[in-house]
């Protein structure tokens, strides 16, 4: 039995999903596991407010500014200084926290955490611990690899992610393309079931989307009979807006959920997913073989995820929401398009395995 510390930051839901997935599997094998949100765990309220709450505000309210910040942080000359400041402000409390729990392995499921821990190890701290980084998107931001010499293993989403890390100088022996860890029910065999209607699942991700109403409006203009399942998450205002589409058109069966715990079942029922391309959502879709339309996204990492999905021919990017009506109509009338996309998804997801990741962790 080993002791594992899994460390994240609350900037979007995908990081926590990856950490909790690994924690669940490690505990199932009898290991001791502690999961923390770093700045909350060490009581660094100022850093939590500035970085985490600041991220959530900027990413959702001013996405163009977020895109600018993301790109700036991807440049070594800017990132090195900025995140070294974060490390200096937090490392004393981190050392104190780690000395109490005394883990064998520390798993970072966030780029900033990866950079902080790598910087601490570079300076002679954390000599006893192995450091593992989980990259929760399909291309790696510079902050993930800034201190790669001091990271013992990387878990990445695909072979494309692995090649990206190799170009940045990471040793191939450190990189494990087992997919981004998500909830265990998504790894079960796909159980497709049909309800007699072309079914579309519409989601906005953990931070929601201001554009879902526009998407629903365009879906209502499709002439075919549709079943439309909408998941709003914890955004109650969004759910109120979506509820207005229920019973609007007898040819459209619209079902609206708030926070949902059975997304895997919904994906197995659906023919098509309309969603933003967050790392966890993309991985869920790949494992359930459900092709995607992407009409909205955050900038930065989600734009890179979108480009990856388009290159692999498993998603369609819609730059203008007005085009959704025609695109969905085409997909209904030409089912071979979705069939091919599903085959491509199956090829990508064949190597996804949390169990393989756990085997690596237990043998570090």
């Amino acid at each position: 039995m080993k002791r594992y510390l899994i460390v994240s930051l609350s900037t979007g839901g995908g990081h926590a999903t990856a950490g909790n997935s690994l924690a669940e599997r490690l505990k199932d094998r009898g290991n001791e596991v502690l999961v923390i949100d770093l700045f909350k765990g060490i009581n660094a309220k100022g850093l939590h407010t500035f970085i985490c709450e600041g991220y959530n505000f900027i990413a959702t309210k001013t996405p163009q500014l977020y895109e600018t910040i993301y790109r700036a942080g991807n440049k070594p000359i800017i990132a090195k200084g900025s995140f070294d400041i974060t490390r200096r402000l937090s490392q004393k409390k981190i050392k104190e926290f780690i000395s109490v729990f005394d883990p064998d392995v520390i798993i970072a499921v966030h780029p900033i955490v990866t950079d902080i821990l790598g910087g601490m190890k570079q300076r002679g701290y954390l000599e006893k611990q192995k450091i593992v980084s989980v990259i929760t998107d399909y291309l790696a931001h510079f902050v993930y690899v800034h201190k790669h010499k001091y990271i013992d293993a990387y878990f990445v989403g695909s072979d494309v992610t692995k090649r990206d890390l190799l170009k940045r100088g990471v040793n191939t022996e450190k990189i494990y393309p087992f997919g981004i860890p998500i909830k265990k029910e998504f790894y079960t065999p796909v159980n497709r079931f049909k309800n007699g209607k072309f079914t579309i699942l519409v989601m906005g991700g953990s931070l929601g989307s201001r554009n879902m109403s526009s998407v629903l409006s365009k879906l209502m203009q499709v002439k075919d009979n549709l079943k439309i399942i909408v998941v709003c998450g914890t955004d109650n205002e969004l759910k109120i807006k979506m509820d207005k589409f229920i019973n609007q058109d007898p040819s459209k069966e619209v079902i609206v959920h708030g926070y949902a715990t059975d997304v895997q079942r919904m994906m197995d029922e659906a023919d098509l997913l309309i969603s933003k391309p967050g790392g966890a959502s993309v991985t869920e879709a790949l494992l359930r073989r459900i092709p995607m339309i992407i009409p909205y996204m955050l900038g930065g990492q989600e734009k890179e995820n979108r480009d990856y999905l388009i290159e692999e021919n498993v998603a369609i990017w819609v730059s203008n929401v007005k085009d959704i009506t025609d695109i969905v109509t085409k997909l209904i009338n030409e089912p071979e398009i979705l069939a091919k996309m599903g085959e491509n998804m199956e090829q990508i997801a064949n190597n996804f395995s949390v169990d393989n990741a756990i085997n690596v962790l237990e043998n570090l």
Side-chain angles (χ1 to χ4, degrees):
M1 184 187 80
K2 287 186 176 181
R3 185 174 291 176
Y4 296 86
L5 176 63
I6 300 177
V7 190
S8 184
L9 288 176
S10 50
T11 57
H15 306 291
T17 296
N20 290 332
S21 171
L22 293 173
E24 183 179 22
R25 299 298 181 93
L26 286 166
K27 289 177 182 177
D28 287 345
R29 295 199 187 183
N31 296 287
E32 185 176 353
V33 184
L34 177 63
V35 181
I36 67 165
D37 184 310
L38 179 60
F39 297 144
K40 290 181 179 179
I42 64 172
N43 198 29
K45 295 180 180 179
L47 286 172
H48 174 78
T49 299
F50 181 72
I51 292 178
C52 300
E53 294 181 8
Y55 166 87
N56 292 332
F57 179 84
I58 292 171
T60 56
K61 304 299 183 183
T62 58
Q64 290 183 331
L65 175 59
Y66 172 71
E67 173 79 9
T68 300
I69 294 171
Y70 181 89
R71 291 189 178 279
N74 230 348
K75 297 177 181 178
I77 192 170
I78 295 175
K80 288 179 180 179
S82 301
F83 292 104
D84 276 348
I85 293 172
T86 306
R87 175 191 52 76
R88 289 198 297 269
L89 290 173
S90 59
Q91 72 178 12
K92 181 179 179 181
K93 288 186 175 181
I94 294 172
K95 284 193 300 179
E96 292 171 354
F97 187 95
I98 289 173
S99 68
V100 174
F101 184 65
D102 194 25
D104 300 294
V105 180
I106 306 175
I107 304 169
V109 289
H110 195 283
I112 294 176
V113 177
T114 300
D115 189 75
I116 290 172
L117 296 177
M120 291 178 66
K121 197 159 193 176
Q122 180 184 19
R123 287 158 180 79
Y125 307 119
L126 311 180
E127 291 182 345
K128 292 170 51 181
Q129 285 82 20
K130 298 290 186 180
I131 309 296
V132 176
S133 177
V134 181
I135 297 178
T136 56
D137 289 290
Y138 283 84
L139 286 180
H141 191 279
F142 172 76
V143 179
Y144 276 113
V145 298
H146 178 203
K147 306 290 185 182
H148 68 83
K149 293 180 181 178
Y150 306 96
I151 305 301
D152 296 286
Y154 283 94
F155 294 154
V156 303
S158 72
D159 289 329
V160 170
T161 325
K162 180 176 181 176
R163 290 195 292 271
D164 181 41
L165 263 63
L166 291 172
K167 290 178 183 177
R168 296 166 181 254
V170 181
N171 291 336
T172 187
E173 295 83 6
K174 291 184 176 183
I175 310 171
Y176 299 92
F178 297 147
I180 299 168
I182 55 174
K183 296 177 181 178
K184 63 182 179 182
E185 57 261 31
F186 287 93
Y187 295 90
T188 59
V190 176
N191 181 27
R192 282 274 177 261
F193 60 95
K194 297 298 180 182
N195 55 47
K197 298 179 181 178
F198 190 88
T199 301
I200 302 172
L201 175 60
V202 182
M203 301 175 64
S206 63
L207 295 178
S209 173
R210 294 173 293 177
N211 299 319
M212 285 176 68
S213 292
S214 299
V215 169
L216 262 290
S217 295
K218 295 306 172 185
L219 290 177
M220 300 301 284
Q221 295 176 17
V222 175
K223 294 181 180 179
D224 300 81
N225 290 340
L226 296 178
K227 180 174 181 179
I228 305 169
I229 305 169
V230 184
V231 178
C232 302
T234 57
D235 190 334
N236 293 326
E237 291 184 10
L238 178 62
K239 186 177 185 304
I240 292 171
K241 291 180 181 178
M242 297 299 101
D243 283 341
K244 295 178 182 178
F245 290 95
I246 298 174
N247 299 324
Q248 189 179 100
D249 182 338
S251 71
K252 307 294 185 292
E253 180 185 357
V254 179
I255 300 173
V256 179
H257 300 273
Y259 180 77
T261 58
D262 56 346
V263 173
Q264 170 255 322
R265 185 198 62 78
M266 296 178 192
M267 286 188 171
D268 283 356
E269 182 180 0
D271 299 283
L272 181 67
L273 171 65
I274 298 180
S275 176
K276 61 194 280 292
S281 298
V282 167
T283 305
E284 291 169 358
L286 289 169
L287 281 165
R288 305 321 291 177
R289 283 56 160 172
I290 175 171
M292 296 179 66
I293 286 180
I294 302 170
Y296 40 71
M297 61 185 176
L298 302 179
Q301 70 274 22
E302 290 193 359
K303 184 177 288 187
E304 293 171 345
N305 291 344
R306 176 205 63 182
D307 293 344
Y308 163 74
L309 295 170
I310 292 171
E311 181 68 24
E312 297 294 325
N313 188 27
V314 296
I316 298 170
W317 162 240
V318 178
S319 58
N320 191 329
V321 173
K322 294 179 181 179
D323 296 331
I324 283 182
T325 305
D326 290 339
I327 290 172
V328 170
T329 300
K330 179 180 177 67
L331 294 174
I332 293 171
N333 293 328
E334 300 179 34
E336 65 274 11
I337 297 175
L338 291 179
K340 179 58 179 175
M341 293 171 74
E343 291 173 6
N344 294 340
M345 296 181 114
E346 185 170 9
Q347 290 181 358
I348 294 170
N350 273 339
N351 293 327
F352 288 6
S353 172
V354 175
D355 289 332
N356 285 346
I358 299 303
N359 291 338
V360 171
L361 289 171
E362 291 188 328
N363 287 286
L364 280 175

Short mmCIF file of all heavy atoms in Angstrom, two decimals, residues 133-153:
data_model
loop_
_atom_site.label_atom_id
_atom_site.label_comp_id
_atom_site.label_asym_id
_atom_site.label_seq_id
_atom_site.Cartn_x
_atom_site.Cartn_y
_atom_site.Cartn_z
N SER A 133 2.24 14.20 -13.33
CA SER A 133 1.36 15.24 -13.88
C SER A 133 0.33 14.61 -14.80
O SER A 133 0.68 13.80 -15.67
CB SER A 133 2.17 16.28 -14.65
OG SER A 133 1.32 17.25 -15.23
N VAL A 134 -0.93 14.97 -14.61
CA VAL A 134 -2.01 14.53 -15.49
C VAL A 134 -2.42 15.72 -16.35
O VAL A 134 -2.89 16.74 -15.83
CB VAL A 134 -3.23 14.03 -14.68
CG1 VAL A 134 -4.33 13.56 -15.63
CG2 VAL A 134 -2.81 12.91 -13.74
N ILE A 135 -2.22 15.61 -17.65
CA ILE A 135 -2.57 16.70 -18.57
C ILE A 135 -4.02 16.51 -18.98
O ILE A 135 -4.37 15.51 -19.61
CB ILE A 135 -1.63 16.71 -19.79
CG1 ILE A 135 -0.19 16.99 -19.31
CG2 ILE A 135 -2.07 17.75 -20.81
CD1 ILE A 135 0.84 16.99 -20.41
N THR A 136 -4.86 17.47 -18.62
CA THR A 136 -6.30 17.29 -18.77
C THR A 136 -6.87 17.93 -20.03
O THR A 136 -8.08 18.17 -20.13
CB THR A 136 -7.03 17.85 -17.53
OG1 THR A 136 -6.67 19.22 -17.35
CG2 THR A 136 -6.66 17.06 -16.29
N ASP A 137 -6.01 18.21 -21.01
CA ASP A 137 -6.44 18.62 -22.34
C ASP A 137 -5.58 17.89 -23.36
O ASP A 137 -4.66 17.15 -23.00
CB ASP A 137 -6.33 20.14 -22.50
CG ASP A 137 -7.38 20.88 -21.67
OD1 ASP A 137 -8.57 20.80 -22.03
OD2 ASP A 137 -7.01 21.52 -20.67
N TYR A 138 -5.87 18.11 -24.65
CA TYR A 138 -5.24 17.29 -25.68
C TYR A 138 -3.98 17.90 -26.28
O TYR A 138 -3.31 17.27 -27.09
CB TYR A 138 -6.27 16.91 -26.74
CG TYR A 138 -7.16 15.80 -26.21
CD1 TYR A 138 -8.27 16.09 -25.42
CD2 TYR A 138 -6.84 14.47 -26.42
CE1 TYR A 138 -9.04 15.08 -24.88
CE2 TYR A 138 -7.60 13.45 -25.89
CZ TYR A 138 -8.70 13.76 -25.12
OH TYR A 138 -9.46 12.75 -24.58
N LEU A 139 -3.63 19.11 -25.87
CA LEU A 139 -2.31 19.67 -26.09
C LEU A 139 -1.85 20.27 -24.76
O LEU A 139 -2.68 20.72 -23.96
CB LEU A 139 -2.30 20.72 -27.19
CG LEU A 139 -2.42 20.22 -28.63
CD1 LEU A 139 -2.41 21.40 -29.60
CD2 LEU A 139 -1.30 19.25 -28.99
N ALA A 140 -0.55 20.29 -24.54
CA ALA A 140 -0.02 20.72 -23.25
C ALA A 140 0.38 22.18 -23.28
O ALA A 140 1.17 22.60 -24.13
CB ALA A 140 1.18 19.86 -22.86
N HIS A 141 -0.16 22.95 -22.35
CA HIS A 141 0.31 24.32 -22.14
C HIS A 141 1.76 24.27 -21.65
O HIS A 141 2.19 23.30 -21.01
CB HIS A 141 -0.59 25.01 -21.11
CG HIS A 141 -0.38 26.48 -21.00
ND1 HIS A 141 0.64 27.03 -20.26
CD2 HIS A 141 -1.07 27.53 -21.54
CE1 HIS A 141 0.57 28.35 -20.34
NE2 HIS A 141 -0.45 28.68 -21.10
N PHE A 142 2.52 25.32 -21.93
CA PHE A 142 3.92 25.37 -21.54
C PHE A 142 4.12 25.12 -20.04
O PHE A 142 5.12 24.52 -19.63
CB PHE A 142 4.52 26.74 -21.91
CG PHE A 142 5.91 26.96 -21.38
CD1 PHE A 142 7.00 26.34 -21.97
CD2 PHE A 142 6.12 27.76 -20.26
CE1 PHE A 142 8.29 26.53 -21.47
CE2 PHE A 142 7.40 27.95 -19.75
CZ PHE A 142 8.48 27.33 -20.36
N VAL A 143 3.17 25.55 -19.23
CA VAL A 143 3.33 25.43 -17.78
C VAL A 143 3.43 23.96 -17.36
O VAL A 143 4.08 23.63 -16.37
CB VAL A 143 2.17 26.15 -17.05
CG1 VAL A 143 2.30 26.00 -15.54
CG2 VAL A 143 2.18 27.62 -17.43
N TYR A 144 2.80 23.05 -18.10
CA TYR A 144 2.91 21.63 -17.78
C TYR A 144 4.35 21.12 -17.92
O TYR A 144 4.78 20.23 -17.18
CB TYR A 144 2.04 20.80 -18.73
CG TYR A 144 0.59 20.67 -18.36
CD1 TYR A 144 -0.40 21.26 -19.16
CD2 TYR A 144 0.18 19.95 -17.24
CE1 TYR A 144 -1.75 21.11 -18.84
CE2 TYR A 144 -1.16 19.81 -16.93
CZ TYR A 144 -2.12 20.39 -17.73
OH TYR A 144 -3.45 20.25 -17.43
N VAL A 145 5.07 21.65 -18.90
CA VAL A 145 6.38 21.08 -19.24
C VAL A 145 7.54 21.97 -18.84
O VAL A 145 8.70 21.62 -19.06
CB VAL A 145 6.46 20.77 -20.75
CG1 VAL A 145 5.42 19.73 -21.13
CG2 VAL A 145 6.27 22.03 -21.59
N HIS A 146 7.25 23.11 -18.24
CA HIS A 146 8.30 24.05 -17.83
C HIS A 146 9.35 23.36 -16.97
O HIS A 146 10.56 23.58 -17.13
CB HIS A 146 7.63 25.21 -17.07
CG HIS A 146 8.57 26.23 -16.55
ND1 HIS A 146 8.24 27.06 -15.50
CD2 HIS A 146 9.82 26.58 -16.91
CE1 HIS A 146 9.26 27.87 -15.25
NE2 HIS A 146 10.22 27.59 -16.09
N LYS A 147 8.92 22.49 -16.05
CA LYS A 147 9.84 21.80 -15.13
C LYS A 147 9.84 20.29 -15.40
O LYS A 147 9.94 19.48 -14.47
CB LYS A 147 9.41 22.06 -13.69
CG LYS A 147 9.27 23.54 -13.31
CD LYS A 147 10.62 24.23 -13.24
CE LYS A 147 10.45 25.67 -12.75
NZ LYS A 147 11.74 26.39 -12.70
N HIS A 148 9.75 19.89 -16.66
CA HIS A 148 9.54 18.47 -16.97
C HIS A 148 10.68 17.57 -16.48
O HIS A 148 10.48 16.38 -16.23
CB HIS A 148 9.31 18.27 -18.47
CG HIS A 148 10.51 18.55 -19.33
ND1 HIS A 148 11.50 17.61 -19.55
CD2 HIS A 148 10.86 19.65 -20.04
CE1 HIS A 148 12.41 18.13 -20.35
NE2 HIS A 148 12.06 19.36 -20.67
N LYS A 149 11.88 18.12 -16.33
CA LYS A 149 13.00 17.31 -15.85
C LYS A 149 12.77 16.80 -14.42
O LYS A 149 13.38 15.82 -14.00
CB LYS A 149 14.29 18.11 -15.90
CG LYS A 149 14.76 18.44 -17.32
CD LYS A 149 16.05 19.24 -17.29
CE LYS A 149 16.50 19.59 -18.71
NZ LYS A 149 17.74 20.41 -18.71
N TYR A 150 11.87 17.47 -13.71
CA TYR A 150 11.64 17.12 -12.30
C TYR A 150 10.29 16.42 -12.10
O TYR A 150 9.87 16.20 -10.97
CB TYR A 150 11.72 18.40 -11.45
CG TYR A 150 13.02 19.12 -11.69
CD1 TYR A 150 13.09 20.18 -12.60
CD2 TYR A 150 14.20 18.71 -11.07
CE1 TYR A 150 14.29 20.82 -12.86
CE2 TYR A 150 15.40 19.34 -11.32
CZ TYR A 150 15.44 20.40 -12.22
OH TYR A 150 16.64 21.02 -12.48
N ILE A 151 9.63 16.09 -13.20
CA ILE A 151 8.38 15.34 -13.16
C ILE A 151 8.69 13.89 -13.54
O ILE A 151 9.36 13.63 -14.54
CB ILE A 151 7.34 15.94 -14.13
CG1 ILE A 151 7.13 17.44 -13.85
CG2 ILE A 151 6.02 15.18 -14.04
CD1 ILE A 151 6.65 17.76 -12.45
N ASP A 152 8.20 12.95 -12.75
CA ASP A 152 8.55 11.54 -12.96
C ASP A 152 7.69 10.84 -14.00
O ASP A 152 8.12 9.85 -14.60
CB ASP A 152 8.45 10.79 -11.62
CG ASP A 152 9.46 11.32 -10.61
OD1 ASP A 152 10.65 11.02 -10.75
OD2 ASP A 152 9.04 12.06 -9.69
N ALA A 153 6.46 11.31 -14.21
CA ALA A 153 5.58 10.68 -15.20
C ALA A 153 4.51 11.67 -15.63
O ALA A 153 4.07 12.52 -14.84
CB ALA A 153 4.93 9.41 -14.64
#
